[in-house]
Amino acid sequence: GAGVSQSPRYKVAKRGQDVALRCDPISGHVSLFWYQQALGQGPEFLTYFQNEAQLDKSGLPSDRFFAERPEGSVSTLKIQRTQQEDSAVYLCASSIRTGTTEAFFGQGTRLTVV
Amino acid sequence: GENVEQHPSTLSVQEGDSAVIKCTYSDSASDYFPWYKQELGKRPQLIIDIRSNVGEKKDQRIAVTLNKTAKHFSLHITETQPEDSAVYFCAASKNNNDMRFGAGTRLTVKP
């Protein structure tokens, strides 16, 4: 596709359930970012990949959050034992490493933990 | 790590007036400063960006200024229109790593 694609668009999880959120970046984009956006707030950095290497995971709020990008393309953000405070929109963005540094965002996955 | 602060959190202007949003950053090594516009329920989209070797950049009604010494940068929108109403986010990053965002400014342009 032409843009960053995220799935699912909406996810309702029961407290304690594990969830997996998928991000398909723009083809050829080296950098991939995950952000958490609470209602009315700015995107909060979670983690960053350059190809398959996770270079920064300092924003992950707890060890229940795990992200991977095994082949340097598709990325998955996994949240274990979800809690109500995990409810937010999870945004993925990608950018091409050389030339421009513009980051293109996906539509996000709205996670609601009940 | 980088910390970005953005002001004001809400801004209401009359159509045709100018709007200014200001951001400060903490990491002097940051070298790329984009501004994103996010309409309700939609993804953030880049509207303008500036790199650290430039002090000002303009694109039609939108301009961004950067003061590296003071570590602040601003977004200026002139001749505002109702369709400019949205949430605007500033961000700062270095070498395209760890892009950190401000908390956002909700701009309302009243017709």
Side-chain angles (χ1 to χ4, degrees):
Chain A
V4 178
S5 177
Q6 291 185 247
S7 61
R9 286 291 313 279
Y10 305 93
K11 176 69 179 179
V12 178
K14 291 185 178 179
R15 192 159 52 99
Q17 185 179 351
D18 297 350
V19 298
L21 313 180
R22 177 187 170 107
C23 173
D24 281 86
I26 293 173
S27 178
H29 277 200
V30 169
S31 300
L32 186 146
F33 306 84
W34 282 99
Y35 293 90
Q36 181 189 61
Q37 186 174 30
L39 189 64
Q41 297 297 312
E44 293 284 341
F45 173 82
L46 293 177
T47 187
Y48 160 71
F49 290 87
Q50 184 174 323
N51 294 309
E52 70 279 2
Q54 189 174 19
L55 299 186
D56 188 341
K57 55 181 180 180
S58 62
L60 296 176
S62 76
D63 58 7
R64 296 186 296 105
F65 286 71
F66 173 77
E68 60 182 4
R69 194 186 186 198
E71 298 179 358
S73 177
V74 172
S75 177
T76 303
L77 176 67
K78 298 180 180 179
I79 309 173
Q80 297 177 324
R81 304 182 302 282
T82 52
Q83 300 176 4
Q84 283 192 317
E85 57 263 33
D86 299 335
S87 297
V89 174
Y90 290 85
L91 291 167
C92 174
S94 71
S95 68
I96 196 164
R97 177 68 178 165
T98 57
T100 178
T101 52
E102 177 181 356
F104 294 85
F105 281 84
Q107 289 274 36
T109 294
R110 181 177 297 278
L111 173 65
T112 303
V113 181
V114 297
Chain B
E2 177 65 272
N3 181 45
V4 179
E5 295 192 354
Q6 183 172 346
H7 301 280
S9 57
T10 60
L11 179 59
S12 182
V13 299
Q14 206 67 37
E15 181 178 1
D17 288 350
S18 295
V20 180
I21 303 170
K22 299 182 179 181
C23 288
T24 61
Y25 61 99
S26 61
D27 191 342
S28 57
S30 289
D31 58 3
Y32 176 63
F33 308 92
W35 285 88
Y36 284 82
K37 176 182 180 182
Q38 188 174 30
E39 297 176 356
L40 190 63
K42 297 189 176 181
R43 72 189 78 189
Q45 294 198 309
L46 181 74
I47 55 170
I48 195 167
D49 56 12
I50 191 167
R51 289 174 176 78
S52 58
N53 57 347
V54 175
E56 184 174 356
K57 183 177 178 180
K58 189 173 181 180
D59 182 4
Q60 300 183 341
R61 297 185 297 109
I62 296 173
V64 57
T65 58
L66 171 65
N67 183 327
K68 284 214 71 180
T69 303
K71 290 189 284 189
H72 68 70
F73 56 113
S74 300
L75 177 71
H76 304 252
I77 306 174
T78 59
E79 300 170 31
T80 53
Q81 302 168 2
E83 51 266 37
D84 294 331
S85 296
V87 178
Y88 292 81
F89 296 101
C90 63
S93 74
K94 50 185 177 182
N95 299 324
N96 198 32
N97 292 351
D98 294 0
M99 189 174 296
R100 306 297 173 121
F101 285 81
T105 297
R106 182 173 301 279
L107 174 65
T108 303
V109 180
K110 294 180 286 186

